[in-house]
Amino acid sequence: MAAPRITIVGASLAGLRCAEALLAALPEARVTLVGDERHAPYNRPPLSKDAAEALAAGPGAGPEVFEKLRLRSKLAPGAVTLRLGVAAEALDGTDVRLSDGRRIGSDWVVAATGLRPRRLPLTGAEDRRHVLRSYDDALTLAATLRTGARMVVIGAGFIGCEIAATARKLGLHVTLVEPAPQPMLRALGARVAAAMAALHRSHGVTLLSGRAVAGFDGARVILDDGQALEADVIVEALGSQPNTGWLTDSGADLSDGVLVDDRMLAPGAENLLAVGDIARFANPLFDAVPRRTEHWCIPGQTAKRAAETIAALCTGQRPTPGFAPMPSFWSDQYGMRLQAFGAPALAETQTVIEGDLSQTGTAPVIVEYARAGRPVGLIGLGANPAALARHRARLTAALTPPVDA
Amino acid sequence: MKVHVDMSICLLHGQCVIAAPEVFSFDDDGGLVWLAEVDESLAADVEAASDACPEQAIVIG
Ligand SMILES: Cc1cc2nc3c(=O)[nH]c(=O)nc-3n(C[C@H](O)[C@H](O)[C@H](O)COP(=O)(O)OP(=O)(O)OC[C@H]3O[C@@H](n4cnc5c(N)ncnc54)[C@H](O)[C@@H]3O)c2cc1C
Ligand code: SF4
C-alpha cells in the first residue's frame, strides 16, 4: 500500500503530539502539520501565569520566554512537513484547502484546531479590551500590565482567575466580574469555589459575583446594575468556542466541537478524526455523554489514540475498542497549586478529606467529589503531592471498571 | 537509558509519577525522586512521562 498521506490541522499541543505518535506507529506516513499561527508549537498554560509575568518586564523578554514555551519534540527535523502561518479553510473530501489557495491531498485528516476566546457582543473600549489564548495575545496584554494600572477581568473561570492573580502580583488594581455566584463554580462546586473566592479577596481582588457587563463607555465598564468601573485594561475571559468553521461541509456533528467515537473518528465524515480541546467524546469512566474537556492532558491522550486508530486502519487491523483516559488539570493562583483528577464538575457532593477549606492558601486541603455516592473526582489545594497521589490511586480504583456505557 | 529531571523547572505536577510509577515517585515530604538509570523495558513509560510533564522537565539521555 502507498504511504498514507495524513494532514493534521492545528499546530499546537494536540497536533504536534499526534504527528509524533503517527510517525512512531507508521514511520512511512507522510504527515503535514498546518497551523495558522506563525509560531512553532508552544505551551499555553504559562500564558496566564509565569509567562505573563515575565513578558510584563518588557518586549525584550519575548525571545527567552518563547523558548521556554516552545514544545520540545521528538520529531527529527524534516520528519513532517510543517506549514505555519496558513489556515485550513475547508475540506474537499479528504483534501484540505488552505488560505493561500493551495490544497493538500490527504487520505486522513486530523482536526486539532482547538478553541478561540468568546467575546462580548458589545462595542466600545476596543483600545483596551484583551483576550488570552495565544502567545500574541499574551504579548499584547503583557505590555499593559503596569503597577498601579486598573484591570477589569470579565469572567472568573480559570484563565480569568489566573490572570487576576498574576496582575495582583504585578501590583495592578484588579476587579473580577462574574455572573455566577462564585468563581470557577462549574468546575469546582460551591464549597471549593467559595474558598477560592475568599483567597482572591484576601489578595486584594475586588470580586463582583452575580454581576454581568452591560456595556462599555469610553474607558469604563458598565455593569448590569449601573455601576461603572474605570479600567485601563479589560480582559474578556468568558470561555471559548471551538474552531470548527473549516469543517462546515465535512458531514461531522459540529454542535459543540467535533463529535468523535472512542477511536477519535468523526461519524458522518470521511476519514476525519479530532483531537485535543476540540474533540467531544464520551468517557466511560463517567458515563456515555460526549463532552469536550479543556485540560492540558487531553491533547496528549487523544492524539495517541487517534494515531493508533489511523495506524490500525492503514495496516488492515481493527482499532482496539474502548478509550477511558483519566482527566487531570491544574491551576496556579497566588503561589497555590490547585490539582484536580477525574471530573469534579460532574459531582453532586464534596467532602473535605484533609485539611479545612477556611485555610485554603495557607494549609493543604484535599476534597473528594462524588456523584450518586460514587467518587468521580478529587481536588487538592496546595496539597502534598504524595498525599494526593495516594487519594488519586483510590479514585482510579473506584472508577474502574468503567460504568457500562 | 538515563533519566534526569531538571528540578529548576519541575513544579511537582506528578504526571510522571502517574505515567511511570516504577521510575518516578514522591517521598513522604512530597519531593520527587526518580531512578537515574532505567532498563529499556521501561522506555515507553519514561517517554509517556516525559510527554505528560507540563513543564517539559524530564530529560531522557
Ligand atoms: C491561558 C491559558 C492557560 C491554560 N492553563 C491551563 C492549566 O493551567 N491547566 C490545564 O490543564 N490546561 C490549561 N490550559 C488549557 C490547555 O492549554 C489546552 O487544553 C491546550 O492548549 C489544548 O491544546 P489543543 O492543541 O487541543 O488546542 P490549541 O492549543 O488551542 O491549538 C489549536 C491550534 O490550531 C490553530 N488553528 C485554529 N484554526 C485553524 C485553522 N483553520 N487552520 C490552521 N490552524 C488553526 C490555532 O491557532 C492553534 O494554534 C490553558 C489554556 C490557556 C489558553
Ligand atoms: S510531571 Fe514534570 S513537573 Fe511534574 S513532577 Fe514530574 S517532572 Fe516534575
Side-chain angles (χ1 to χ4, degrees):
Chain A
M1 196 186 84
R5 299 166 304 165
I6 304 158
T7 304
I8 304 171
V9 181
S12 180
L13 185 60
L16 180 68
R17 291 289 179 258
C18 193
E20 292 170 349
L22 271 168
L23 285 173
L26 274 180
E28 74 281 11
R30 282 158 45 203
V31 178
T32 306
L33 185 56
V34 179
D36 62 0
E37 294 184 76
R38 61 197 166 94
H39 306 289
Y42 60 89
N43 210 13
R44 289 176 207 276
L47 295 178
S48 46
K49 312 178 182 78
D50 39 343
E53 190 186 338
L55 288 171
E64 197 183 316
V65 171
F66 189 82
E67 188 47 33
K68 276 198 202 140
L69 296 175
R70 198 174 53 78
L71 290 166
R72 279 199 267 119
S73 172
K74 295 190 280 281
L75 291 171
V80 304
T81 308
L82 200 54
R83 300 287 311 274
L84 295 178
V86 53
E89 284 195 328
L91 284 181
D92 272 332
T94 53
D95 288 356
V96 179
R97 240 179 28 229
L98 301 182
S99 53
D100 64 3
R102 284 191 232 190
R103 166 196 297 259
I104 308 181
S106 326
D107 303 306
W108 299 88
V109 176
V110 182
T113 40
L115 313 174
R116 65 180 180 283
R118 227 155 54 75
R119 309 262 353 201
L120 280 174
L122 298 168
T123 54
E126 279 85 5
D127 61 334
R128 59 197 66 208
R129 284 164 66 184
H130 296 261
V131 291
L132 186 52
R133 179 83 194 171
S134 67
Y135 178 69
D136 290 343
D137 293 339
L139 273 183
T140 329
L141 175 61
T144 69
L145 299 178
R146 291 195 202 91
T147 306
R150 295 158 303 179
M151 173 186 273
V152 175
V153 181
I154 307 170
F158 283 100
I159 293 176
C161 286
E162 287 177 359
I163 199 66
T166 302
R168 282 301 300 142
K169 193 167 173 195
L170 291 166
L172 284 80
H173 303 285
V174 179
T175 305
L176 190 50
V177 181
E178 166 61 48
Q182 302 287 2
M184 303 169 282
L185 180 61
R186 209 179 49 82
L188 302 182
R191 295 178 62 199
V192 174
M196 291 303 292
L199 182 67
H200 278 275
R201 288 196 168 109
S202 74
H203 281 85
V205 169
T206 306
L207 174 61
L208 303 177
S209 47
R211 307 277 283 281
V213 170
F216 299 100
D217 174 16
R220 298 186 311 163
V221 181
I222 313 295
L223 302 187
D224 49 1
D225 63 352
Q227 187 180 350
L229 305 168
E230 298 285 338
D232 304 305
V233 192
I234 301 166
V235 182
E236 291 175 56
L238 308 141
S240 320
Q241 288 176 314
N243 292 319
T244 49
W246 63 286
L247 293 168
T248 306
D249 298 323
S250 65
D253 176 341
L254 305 177
S255 42
D256 176 26
V258 183
L259 178 68
V260 292
D261 63 16
D262 63 350
R263 299 162 302 173
M264 302 294 116
L265 283 165
E270 189 188 349
N271 287 7
L272 174 71
L273 299 89
V275 295
D277 275 6
I278 202 182
R280 183 159 62 94
F281 60 95
N283 190 334
L285 285 182
F286 308 107
D287 52 34
V289 182
R291 296 185 184 87
R292 282 192 307 105
T293 312
E294 301 175 17
H295 304 339
W296 190 90
C297 65
I298 297 292
Q301 291 161 332
T302 52
K304 283 205 179 88
R305 181 69 182 156
E308 280 166 22
T309 298
I310 295 177
L313 294 174
C314 284
T315 53
Q317 288 159 315
R318 290 207 4 208
T320 51
F323 178 61
M326 171 67 108
S328 70
F329 68 88
W330 81 97
S331 176
D332 293 312
Q333 297 172 33
Y334 308 108
M336 185 193 77
R337 162 71 47 81
L338 182 157
Q339 175 72 58
F341 294 106
L346 299 180
E348 296 134 5
T349 56
Q350 305 163 38
T351 313
V352 176
I353 52 177
E354 266 188 55
D356 176 348
L357 278 172
S358 69
Q359 301 286 304
T360 299
T362 48
V365 185
I366 300 181
V367 183
E368 190 171 88
Y369 289 72
R371 179 172 68 172
R374 189 168 165 266
V376 288
L378 183 67
I379 290 186
L381 301 158
N384 174 312
L388 206 51
R390 280 195 297 278
H391 291 297
R392 180 195 173 277
R394 262 191 336 110
L395 175 68
T396 309
L399 288 173
T400 24
V403 294
D404 288 328
Chain B
M1 70 197 299
K2 285 196 166 29
V3 179
H4 178 69
V5 179
D6 183 342
M7 290 312 287
S8 70
I9 53 180
C10 167
L11 290 178
L12 298 177
H13 286 276
Q15 294 297 331
C16 53
V17 177
I18 297 165
E22 281 139 287
V23 181
F24 303 91
S25 56
F26 287 118
D27 62 24
D28 287 340
D29 303 327
L32 184 70
V33 289
W34 67 93
L35 301 176
E37 185 77 56
V38 303
D39 192 81
E40 287 301 322
S41 63
L42 289 170
D45 283 7
V46 175
E47 293 277 356
S50 161
D51 280 353
C53 172
E55 308 302 328
Q56 309 194 71
I58 300 172
V59 188
I60 303 171

